[in-house]
Amino acid sequence: MTVSEEWPLWEIFIRGQHGMSHRHVGSLHAVDAEHAIKNARDVYTRRNEGVSIWVVEASNISASSPSNKGPLFDPSRDKVYRHPTFYDLPDEAGNM
Amino acid sequence: MLVLGHRTSEWCGVAPALEEDIALANIALDLIGQAKLWLEYAGEVEDAERTANTLAFRRDFYDFRNLLMLELPNEDYARTIIRHFLFDAFQVPWLEALAASSDETISSIGQKTVKEANYHLERSQDTVVALGDGTEESNTRMQKALHDLWPYAGEMFQDDEIDRMMQGESIAPLPSSMKKAWELRVERVFNDAFLILPDSDFSHSGGRQGIRHTEHLGHMLASMQFLQRAYPGASW
Amino acid sequence: MYAQMVKSTGETVVAKEKLSPKEREFQDRIDRGEKIEPKDWMPEEYRKNLIRQIGQHAHSEIVGQLPEGNWITRAPTLERKANLLAKVQDEAGHGLYLYCAAETLGVSRDELFDMLHKGKMKYSSIFNYPTLTWADMGAIGWLVDGAAIMNQVPLQRTSYGPYARAMVRICKEESFHQRQGFQIMLTMAQGTEDQKRMAQDALNRFWYPSLMMFGPSDKDSVHSAQSMAWKIKMNSNDELRQKFVDEIAPQAAFLGLNIPDDDLVWNEKTGHHDYSEPDWDEFFQVISGNGPCNKERLDARKKAWNDGAWVRDGMLAHARKKAMRKVAE
């Protein structure tokens, strides 16, 4: 068995053609950022034109800790008006 | 295209890393797709009711017109990458030129495929630099691969009768006209990669005319064409 | 099913009253249908079982590249060649997604590879069978991918977030695999006598190994209960196997091919097909290393890994040097 050092892990974010913001699509291994972008193109877009790729080394991501879940996220849970289903519309108004 | 696509597809499942496996499969898929476009058009021009598949699977070795370099076995990853780079560095300007062809179909195939070729070149060039620079072992392996393939590279730039005819009708430029720019790029990249260009102008020839092939092509065709040969008339 | 013999340590479900408050809260979250995420607290056994299961699944994807890869160079047309290559490439991609999901549990891909190479982790028994004719590409797509999809669709709802998300992606990409396989079978079943013979022969060879993919019979599978409570296993082995037989039987009839089981009949009373069990002795032999291709498959993976070491090292070394040079400027 050959023991070598592993390529670092990268998190991949992709913006599609539809103008949505970058979305986390998954991760992969690569030696540096440039290599990660190339690999992301091959692995996660199978080279669709017109997409934008962000890569971040996984170790550089800071995440909220789950114990903070309450204070961090509860406030927005109250803001139901941010969700479309909050607005009760008559069926005749059509699909929105 | 077909021959290199075939060789590249041999890496599927056994490449050095999963990410490389997927990338190589993309390249192989592009090349097979390109081969299909060219062979379809060749069949159309020939007008003898031969499809892309007949041309790929029912011709014997002497009717294959391909660069000898592309039919050599993969050997190892070093040879695979060096071969891709030597070839891609020629393909990009070549397809760019074909995109301006007086022939409409050739021009449209050129426009479509040059985008793919650009990506292939970007990848193979970066990998050449990375592995040339990388470790002592990777440098040694890359140097050896370059040494092995160099005598085959010159074939890309040898003009023949057909080339001159095509140039006469503004269908394609002379391959030899691509050589200078290719040399400049190749020198620069190998320099960045700490690889030494072999000091030899010798070049094998004859693959593009079907006059000569290596022994490897026969084995490749034996597996590639097996089903079409063993069961003539069947559709798949 | 790609994870067919996951040895779960908790053989039976621990009664809720006996769980610690933390464990109970964990189980409650799962029962409510919440997803468990990497940084959440989880019982050690849950983590271990998931690593085994996702790892086995990932290994199955990349070992599964080999039997089909065996025919890429011999595919009969340019279209078939491209389709097959794209499909086998997808399998590499699926392996990659799953390794990444496993990595969120604190194990590296290299460690997982190492366990595969040392025989400490398994992959699906099906890939230890050889692919002998082109029809096997049809049979694998139709039967093997069919069985895999049956298992993977419910796993999109599994309790572990990264695993569920990987499954969603995989299911989306995999939808064309089974159709591709079936179409190969259909073309051959309607083709020449030789082709029909190949198609029937492929079905003969792959039928029982496909049934084995769902794992041992429920009565012999003691590990399922805890996994099901944790929602890392969604259906019982026999349940999925029955569903598979019910789906495949009419398709085989449509193809005009015979499933190699004289006892396979529609049972009006149960509303299902009766069928013969596979040879479980053979299954346990294959699982423990004595299948027709076990050694070759593992050797091929090890060789690819060892041959690739200088490439992985070289590229990493270059990236380090490049970064250093940048700093030096």
Side-chain angles (χ1 to χ4, degrees):
Chain A
M1 191 63 44
T2 324
V3 183
S4 326
E5 206 179 326
E6 194 163 3
W7 290 354
L9 187 68
W10 298 76
E11 299 299 331
I12 311 301
F13 301 81
I14 290 180
R15 176 159 52 71
Q17 280 107 329
H18 307 297
M20 307 282 279
S21 46
H22 282 79
R23 212 178 120 236
H24 182 241
V25 292
S27 18
L28 49 75
H29 289 270
V31 292
D32 58 17
E34 233 176 285
H35 189 223
I37 289 177
K38 286 212 176 68
N39 285 345
R41 188 151 45 156
D42 279 313
V43 173
Y44 286 106
T45 75
R46 305 276 152 84
R47 292 199 283 102
N48 267 340
E49 247 60 59
V51 296
S52 152
I53 299 172
W54 286 351
V55 299
V56 188
E57 200 171 337
S59 60
N60 285 337
I61 290 188
S62 315
S64 63
S65 105
S67 51
N68 283 339
K69 222 177 194 172
L72 262 181
F73 298 112
D74 277 352
S76 64
R77 206 173 280 174
D78 296 336
K79 300 189 176 78
V80 283
Y81 50 81
R82 287 191 183 280
H83 297 277
T85 44
F86 173 74
Y87 303 97
D88 207 358
L89 293 184
D91 290 345
E92 297 83 68
N95 236 340
M96 259 173 236
Chain B
M1 295 291 134
L2 178 60
V3 172
L4 184 61
H6 186 98
R7 283 291 183 225
T8 312
S9 77
E10 291 173 2
W11 276 107
C12 188
V14 294
L18 267 180
E19 285 80 0
E20 296 295 313
D21 206 301
I22 294 168
L24 282 171
N26 271 339
I27 293 171
L29 280 169
D30 285 346
L31 292 170
I32 292 165
Q34 294 178 14
K36 198 172 160 233
L37 292 174
W38 291 120
L39 290 174
E40 261 165 12
Y41 188 48
E44 203 181 306
V45 172
E46 187 193 44
D47 200 19
E49 299 196 350
R50 290 205 290 182
T51 64
N53 281 320
T54 345
L55 290 170
F57 293 94
R58 300 298 295 273
R59 282 182 303 163
D60 209 338
F61 80 98
Y62 38 65
D63 289 327
F64 263 76
R65 307 271 188 270
N66 61 274
L67 295 165
L68 297 174
M69 176 169 81
L70 307 185
E71 65 191 48
L72 298 176
N74 289 333
E75 193 80 18
D76 66 355
Y77 206 65
R79 183 189 281 186
T80 298
I81 293 300
I82 296 270
R83 165 162 62 194
H84 273 291
F85 171 62
L86 293 174
F87 181 67
D88 297 340
F90 162 70
Q91 275 294 288
V92 168
W94 178 248
L95 292 173
E96 265 165 13
L98 291 188
S101 169
S102 64
D103 181 293
E104 232 173 81
T105 311
I106 291 181
S107 156
S108 82
I109 298 178
Q111 286 167 35
K112 182 188 179 301
T113 55
V114 73
K115 288 185 210 147
E116 296 171 349
N118 261 310
Y119 179 67
H120 300 171
L121 175 60
E122 206 182 299
R123 211 175 165 106
S124 60
Q125 180 169 315
D126 283 359
T127 314
V128 164
V129 173
L131 292 177
D133 178 37
T135 60
E136 211 182 304
E137 183 183 3
S138 73
N139 179 277
T140 311
R141 283 176 177 269
M142 294 297 274
Q143 188 64 60
K144 180 182 179 304
L146 177 55
H147 184 82
D148 291 348
L149 289 177
W150 191 247
Y152 292 92
E155 193 192 355
M156 293 190 282
F157 309 103
Q158 292 167 357
D159 304 333
D160 63 13
E161 269 321 298
I162 299 174
D163 291 320
R164 278 184 277 275
M165 209 175 75
M166 304 259 263
Q167 191 226 7
E169 296 181 31
S170 304
I171 295 174
L174 285 176
S176 59
S177 67
M178 306 270 135
K179 194 169 185 190
K180 198 89 218 123
W182 179 86
E183 278 174 345
L184 284 175
R185 178 189 278 269
V186 164
E187 272 165 32
R188 175 169 58 79
V189 171
F190 285 133
N191 191 47
D192 289 348
F194 303 97
L195 295 172
I196 300 154
L197 271 185
D199 185 22
S200 160
D201 283 337
F202 171 76
S203 176
H204 292 288
S205 60
R208 285 183 66 229
Q209 295 75 34
I211 302 166
R212 235 188 230 178
H213 280 290
T214 65
E215 289 179 347
H216 308 291
L217 182 65
H219 291 280
M220 177 194 282
L221 296 185
S223 38
M224 188 173 94
Q225 300 180 334
F226 157 65
L227 284 170
Q228 293 271 4
R229 298 284 191 187
Y231 304 98
S235 57
W236 303 92
Chain C
M1 169 175 311
Y2 283 166
Q4 64 199 151
M5 275 290 282
V6 178
K7 281 218 175 64
S8 145
T9 28
E11 293 197 350
T12 46
V13 192
V14 184
K16 239 182 183 176
E17 308 78 64
K18 290 189 183 158
L19 296 174
S20 72
K22 242 181 171 175
E23 287 167 339
R24 201 173 316 154
E25 161 62 15
F26 178 79
Q27 187 62 52
D28 284 342
R29 287 186 61 197
I30 288 179
D31 293 344
R32 285 197 299 270
E34 281 179 32
K35 292 274 179 265
I36 309 301
E37 295 297 336
K39 288 183 104 185
D40 294 349
W41 182 87
M42 62 186 81
E44 198 45 30
E45 289 308 320
Y46 175 85
R47 201 181 68 86
K48 275 194 195 153
N49 275 318
L50 262 179
I51 290 177
R52 284 204 199 101
Q53 181 172 331
I54 301 174
Q56 190 170 332
H57 195 154
H59 296 329
S60 296
E61 296 283 356
I62 61 159
V63 177
Q65 288 184 270
L66 300 171
E68 288 177 285
N70 182 35
W71 278 90
I72 290 174
T73 54
R74 289 179 290 172
T77 66
L78 294 169
E79 296 78 12
R80 291 286 186 212
K81 200 184 193 63
N83 292 348
L84 182 62
L85 181 55
K87 187 194 162 202
V88 182
Q89 181 196 39
D90 274 351
E91 281 154 17
H94 299 169
L96 187 148
Y97 307 156
L98 287 162
Y99 284 121
C100 288
E103 281 176 84
T104 63
L105 292 159
V107 61
S108 75
R109 193 199 287 178
D110 283 8
E111 285 169 332
L112 290 167
F113 275 155
D114 192 49
M115 287 192 268
L116 170 69
H117 297 155
K118 287 185 174 139
K120 288 185 193 160
M121 282 182 93
K122 307 231 175 280
Y123 53 88
S124 179
S125 58
I126 191 76
F127 302 118
N128 289 316
Y129 289 88
T131 53
L132 303 177
T133 74
W134 174 250
D136 291 5
M137 297 306 100
I140 288 184
W142 174 38
L143 300 175
V144 175
D145 291 316
I149 290 166
M150 210 149 265
N151 171 246
Q152 288 169 351
V153 166
L155 277 177
Q156 295 179 95
R157 291 179 285 111
T158 185
S159 63
Y160 188 57
Y163 191 22
R165 289 190 285 274
M167 279 340 287
V168 169
R169 216 183 163 84
I170 289 172
C171 286
K172 204 162 88 187
E173 294 184 359
E174 199 142 90
S175 53
F176 91 88
H177 292 181
Q178 197 189 10
R179 297 172 70 93
Q180 173 189 249
F182 189 76
Q183 204 212 12
I184 291 177
M185 282 311 249
L186 186 61
T187 311
M188 298 193 72
Q190 294 174 342
T192 64
E193 281 311 310
D194 283 325
Q195 287 177 306
K196 277 183 207 158
R197 186 175 157 203
M198 277 186 242
Q200 181 61 53
D201 164 70
L203 175 55
N204 291 349
R205 281 183 291 109
F206 276 96
W207 174 250
Y208 286 108
S210 299
L211 294 185
M212 292 175 194
M213 288 177 69
F214 297 96
S217 171
D218 292 346
K219 56 183 193 299
D220 303 319
S221 178
V222 284
H223 312 301
S224 294
Q226 181 63 70
S227 289
M228 287 182 71
W230 277 336
K231 291 193 189 163
I232 59 180
K233 185 181 169 81
M234 309 301 282
N235 308 81
S236 84
N237 296 350
D238 285 336
E239 202 176 295
L240 288 174
R241 190 166 15 245
Q242 182 68 59
K243 200 173 164 216
F244 176 75
V245 174
D246 289 340
E247 191 182 291
I248 297 297
Q251 292 171 354
F254 176 80
L255 290 171
L257 299 175
N258 299 316
I259 291 177
D261 178 359
D262 292 337
D263 298 326
L264 191 136
V265 280
W266 174 253
N267 183 330
E268 202 62 61
K269 254 199 293 197
T270 57
H272 292 292
H273 290 83
D274 294 339
Y275 63 94
S276 306
E277 293 271 316
D279 177 353
W280 291 115
D281 288 339
E282 178 182 319
F283 171 75
F284 287 110
Q285 284 294 337
V286 175
I287 276 284
S288 58
N290 294 325
C293 300
N294 292 56
K295 187 173 167 355
E296 279 168 58
R297 299 287 186 246
L298 210 50
D299 285 352
R301 282 308 318 164
K302 282 193 262 191
K303 183 175 181 327
W305 182 248
N306 290 331
D307 288 355
W310 71 268
V311 179
R312 296 189 301 274
D313 291 347
M315 292 183 67
L316 191 60
H318 167 70
R320 296 264 160 86
K321 288 188 199 170
K322 201 167 76 176
M324 296 265 282
R325 282 180 209 133
K326 229 178 207 166
V327 172
E329 279 163 19

